[in-house]
Amino acid sequence: MARDSGGYEGDPPVGVLTDAASVFGLLASPARLHIVWALAGGESDVTGLAERVGGALPAVSQHLTKLKLAGLVGARREGRRQVYYVCDPDVVAVVRLVIDRLDERRTSPAARRGLA
């Protein structure tokens, strides 16, 4: 039997689907998506991320904690500050793919004419 693009014969195991739903649930927040997008471009501390994503420092810190607990981002100490980075480049690839495709649809000539 031929394998699907995911490498499974048939459907993925329930545990894998559950894990995927958890990741997608975490990324369902525009703020967390923006944080992952920003970190995909390079490491940052919470202050820099708050400035970039336009969020309050405590809120961005909470989002980072959730992303860190899920293993999507990591942190290391540099002196007195924590520097955050992406741990899972595959998640970044999915985020970039979705955002790029949605942006293409919004800016396509058909979309501008109201046909898409």
Side-chain angles (χ1 to χ4, degrees):
M1 175 182 246
R3 292 190 174 264
D4 294 346
S5 62
Y8 298 103
E9 290 184 22
D11 298 330
V14 171
V16 172
L17 293 170
T18 301
D19 291 346
S22 293
V23 169
F24 284 121
L26 265 172
L27 296 175
S29 159
R32 285 192 289 269
L33 236 143
H34 198 170
I35 289 167
V36 170
W37 181 271
L39 290 175
E43 299 176 344
S44 181
D45 64 7
V46 68
T47 303
L49 285 169
E51 290 171 2
R52 179 158 178 191
V53 304
L57 204 63
V60 171
S61 183
Q62 287 178 356
H63 289 306
L64 284 165
T65 297
K66 289 179 181 182
L67 292 167
K68 189 175 173 188
L69 285 172
L72 301 180
V73 302
R76 70 173 194 295
R77 190 156 288 290
E78 273 189 8
R80 294 178 56 194
R81 67 186 192 128
Q82 290 268 50
V83 176
Y84 293 89
Y85 55 89
V86 172
C87 284
D88 193 337
D90 293 331
V91 169
V92 170
V94 170
V95 167
R96 284 184 169 159
L97 175 71
V98 170
I99 289 173
D100 288 346
R101 293 300 177 267
L102 291 172
D103 187 50
E104 286 173 12
R105 288 181 190 163
R106 288 183 85 181
T107 59
S108 73
R112 287 194 298 266
R113 291 191 309 265
L115 302 175

